Amino acid sequence: MNSGIVISNKKVSFGGISLTDFIEKYDTPLFLFSEQRLEDNYNALKESFRRYYPKTEVFYSLKTNFELSILKTLRRLGSKAEAASALEVIIAKKAGFEGSDMVLDGPAWTDDDIKFCIQKNINTFNVDSIDELRRVNRLAKSLGKKVKISFMIFPEIRMSILKSFIEGYISKFGVPLSKAVELYKEALTMDYVIPCAISTHIGSMITDPSYYEKTVQRLVKLAADLKE
């Protein structure tokens, strides 16, 4: 059965069910989500990476849509979760995710967010500044718990926006690549954070895959530099 939208003989169906049936039962406007399409898309994404990198894990961004039914489906499929706040952690736990299944992202954590997530044993905190790192270390110390961290890295790649009308550095996410090694070294001097990963977010609505290729190349080199 086709899990998406099908138009045939001037009739529209979604997931094998006529849209007319939905409208008659629920009225409009309404949102429709196909569990089968969600499952198909999730598996296609996961397997496209696992074909080359068998240890790949998918972390679903909770801010995208945190309807409990959607989260429960993704949890059943083996997805993990990316949260941006304590609220999203609470919702994810209602859907069955454990703290060890989650990473914390985002640019605007409160102290209460951080403390709550430490207490819920969040897997990794993706910090985007040295000040945020120091705050996580301080709050982890106050709770007597060590936490794993990564730095959100801005790869310092020039990007063309609006079909080359504007070109420049996109710099609102993370620490500059050129500063990364010294920041990881500083993290190693702290008693309550454990640097364990590298993260990045170069922006949204990027349709040119070459930017992702360049980003990965720079992060792989950074990983080698950090290991050395």
Side-chain angles (χ1 to χ4, degrees):
M1 179 180 71
N2 191 304
S3 60
I5 293 175
V6 175
I7 301 174
S8 178
N9 297 323
K10 297 184 179 180
K11 294 183 178 180
V12 183
S13 62
F14 180 70
I17 302 174
S18 168
L19 286 188
T20 304
D21 293 344
F22 286 115
I23 292 167
E24 290 175 348
K25 185 173 182 180
Y26 299 107
D27 205 353
T28 60
L30 75 161
F31 283 102
L32 297 173
F33 299 98
S34 167
E35 183 178 32
Q36 186 60 53
R37 173 52 65 93
L38 179 61
E39 184 168 346
D40 292 345
N41 288 345
Y42 174 84
N43 287 331
L45 174 67
K46 181 182 68 176
E47 294 308 319
S48 66
F49 281 92
R50 284 195 173 180
R51 189 181 312 150
Y52 305 101
Y53 304 99
K55 295 182 180 180
T56 295
E57 298 284 357
V58 176
F59 285 74
Y60 174 75
S61 172
L62 293 166
K63 63 179 174 286
T64 305
N65 186 325
F66 46 70
E67 288 286 343
L68 277 179
S69 295
I70 288 175
L71 297 185
K72 287 178 179 179
T73 296
L74 289 165
R75 179 72 185 117
R76 173 177 61 79
L77 295 172
S79 178
K80 297 184 178 181
E82 178 212 44
S85 66
L87 173 61
E88 290 185 3
V89 171
I90 291 169
I91 295 170
K93 288 186 75 66
K94 285 186 177 182
F97 291 92
E98 299 296 332
S100 58
D101 298 326
M102 290 183 250
V103 298
L104 188 69
D105 245 356
W109 304 335
T110 66
D111 283 3
D112 286 342
D113 280 332
I114 295 171
K115 288 164 68 176
F116 178 84
C117 292
I118 291 172
Q119 291 168 330
K120 296 301 179 183
N121 300 313
I122 295 302
N123 188 300
T124 306
F125 291 72
N126 294 333
V127 300
D128 67 359
S129 69
I130 189 62
D131 290 337
E132 197 165 72
L133 174 72
R134 291 167 181 161
R135 198 152 54 99
V136 170
N137 183 66
R138 172 175 57 82
L139 294 169
K141 180 180 180 179
S142 72
L143 296 171
K145 299 182 73 170
K146 292 187 177 183
V147 298
K148 293 191 293 184
I149 65 96
S150 76
F151 275 106
M152 181 83 77
I153 303 298
F154 160 50
E156 298 181 282
I157 294 172
R158 294 188 72 86
M159 290 190 184
S160 296
I161 307 171
L162 301 177
K163 297 183 178 179
S164 300
F165 181 69
I166 301 172
E167 183 176 82
Y169 289 113
I170 306 299
S171 61
K172 69 179 186 177
F173 297 111
V175 301
L177 177 67
S178 56
K179 302 287 186 181
V181 172
E182 64 182 80
L183 294 179
Y184 275 97
K185 284 182 177 179
E186 179 163 345
L188 285 174
T189 68
M190 298 181 180
D191 294 329
Y192 287 87
V193 295
I194 305 167
C196 69
I198 300 169
S199 62
T200 192
H201 176 48
I202 61 173
S204 303
M205 300 174 70
I206 296 170
T207 57
D208 184 347
S210 69
Y211 291 128
Y212 294 103
E213 184 178 8
K214 292 173 184 175
T215 297
V216 169
Q217 289 171 346
R218 294 189 181 195
L219 295 188
V220 167
K221 183 179 183 305
L222 172 60
D225 291 342
L226 291 171
K227 184 176 181 180
E228 183 180 339

